[in-house]
Amino acid sequence: MTTPFDPARQQASTVCLPPGNWATVLDCLCDHFKAIGREQWLDRFARGRVLDAQGQAVAATLAYRPGMRLHYFREVANEKPIPVQETILHADEHLVVADKPHFLPVTPTGEYVEQTLLRRLIRRLDNPHLVPLHRIDRHTAGLVLFSANPETRGAYQRLFPQRRIDKRYQAIAAAMAQHEFPLVHRSRLVHGEPFFRMHEVPGSENSETHACVLEKNGDLWRYGLSPVTGKTHQLRVHMAALGAGICNDPFYPHLVDEQDDYARPLKLLAQSLRFTDPLSGEERYFESRLTLQW
């Protein structure tokens, strides 16, 4: 007998079946997710990896009904291990703070499912309720804050859109003697081509970064970066726009088509987080134990 898995513990994805003329839920899923073969869906059904709204495994022959809500577990065949190790800096009933190494994604995406910070922490802490309160890029290292308790999650989530959390980054890039520091860079960022790259366009500003110089080492400087907004790749795009793309950046200012080189990580670190705890009112400060080497 196949035992249904817990969609919360396994971080299942959810789909609401669209209108159509399919005979079975299998037919609908195959047509809706064209990148996933029919044999792969049949295998998932056979292993109890497709669930109904109540978390019970369903059969591939189940009659299709528009609006039906199904849970399914994203899987990547032969997922490649990422040879880096995260560190848990803090854990209580409400919050978990992790130090994420370079190259490790925060959440499942694309070719990464099990090899993500979220899935690793769920297994280590045995807490299926973990949810990241913010994201940093796969190539970026440093602090990531997680909610550990659904009942208090909203209070911590509101810190970010209300800009009540101070985020400090460090980056190593080429010297920029042409600019006076500290400086503020604002621009309008939109998705470009390929879809995962951002670029600046004319128009009303939707991103803001404060930058200063922390240390000089010949042709390379260590910068302190404080993002006021949280657009995708904001710091990476802004540094490239200022004339000094962050060292080893495979996306900016130019896209480099190459495999991960663990000896050459992106020189960008989410170095500290500071905020007033919305539950206790106490000042909370967390600092990464990772460092950027010249």
Side-chain angles (χ1 to χ4, degrees), residues 21 67 86 101 113 174 189 201 212 252:
N21 297 315
E86 74 284 353
V113 175
L189 294 181
V201 297
C212 65
Y252 308 98

Side-chain angles (χ1 to χ4, degrees), residues 4 51 54 56 63 170 196 223 227 244 262 264 266 272 279 286:
L51 315 179
Q54 289 71 47
Q56 299 299 309
Q170 288 188 9
F196 54 81
Y223 297 89
Y262 296 105
R264 301 182 68 254
L266 174 71
S272 69
L279 302 184
F286 300 101

Side-chain angles (χ1 to χ4, degrees), residues 98-114:
D99 229 351
K100 185 188 82 67
H102 293 101
F103 301 106
L104 185 67
V106 173
T107 57
T109 180
E111 61 184 297
Y112 306 103
V113 175
E114 294 301 324

Side-chain angles (χ1 to χ4, degrees), residues 8 23 33 50 53 67 74 95-96 106 123 133 152 158 176 192 194 209 220 240 244-245 255 261 267 281 294:
F33 298 100
V50 182
R74 292 188 65 249
L95 291 176
V96 172
V106 173
R123 291 193 295 271
L133 293 168
T152 60
R158 287 189 288 272
M176 289 192 283
T209 298
L220 294 177
L255 182 63
D261 183 348
K267 299 295 184 175
W294 290 107

Side-chain angles (χ1 to χ4, degrees), residues 1-196:
M1 177 179 177
T2 301
T3 302
F5 72 104
D6 182 343
R9 180 170 296 278
Q10 297 290 333
Q11 292 293 306
S13 298
T14 300
V15 61
C16 187
L17 299 188
N21 297 315
W22 299 283
T24 65
V25 293
L26 172 63
D27 295 332
C28 176
L29 291 173
C30 289
D31 206 29
H32 189 64
F33 298 100
K34 298 184 184 298
I36 303 175
R38 190 177 185 87
E39 291 301 317
Q40 188 173 348
W41 277 116
L42 284 168
D43 179 64
R44 291 184 183 182
F45 277 102
R47 292 184 291 113
R49 296 292 199 173
V50 182
L51 315 179
D52 61 18
Q54 289 71 47
Q56 299 299 309
V58 300
T61 54
L62 181 67
Y64 158 80
R65 188 175 72 251
M68 181 185 298
R69 187 174 296 273
L70 295 176
H71 303 294
Y72 66 96
F73 179 48
R74 292 188 65 249
E75 297 174 317
V76 174
N78 303 314
E79 186 174 355
K80 182 173 64 176
I82 300 178
V84 296
Q85 183 61 52
E86 74 284 353
T87 301
I88 297 174
L89 301 180
H90 172 86
D92 61 35
E93 63 177 311
H94 304 293
L95 291 176
V96 172
V97 183
D99 229 351
K100 185 188 82 67
H102 293 101
F103 301 106
L104 185 67
V106 173
T107 57
T109 180
E111 61 184 297
Y112 306 103
V113 175
E114 294 301 324
Q115 293 297 310
T116 61
L117 181 61
L118 175 61
R119 295 295 281 269
R120 288 185 179 189
L121 293 179
I122 287 174
R123 291 193 295 271
R124 286 182 62 178
L125 298 173
D126 192 29
N127 182 355
H129 301 297
L130 285 177
V131 170
L133 293 168
H134 63 119
R135 311 287 175 89
I136 61 175
D137 306 336
R138 183 175 77 87
H139 295 100
T140 304
L143 300 181
V144 184
L145 189 64
F146 289 81
S147 164
N149 187 338
E151 295 182 3
T152 60
R153 182 166 299 148
Y156 291 99
Q157 287 175 326
R158 287 189 288 272
L159 292 173
F160 290 88
Q162 294 175 0
R163 298 182 182 175
R164 293 190 288 125
I165 187 161
D166 180 52
K167 297 174 287 183
R168 301 292 176 95
Y169 287 71
Q170 288 188 9
I172 293 177
M176 289 192 283
Q178 71 273 27
H179 295 295
E180 289 190 12
F181 289 89
L183 62 75
V184 177
H185 185 79
R186 302 182 182 93
S187 68
R188 180 166 189 81
L189 294 181
V190 299
H191 286 277
E193 292 293 338
F195 69 93
F196 54 81

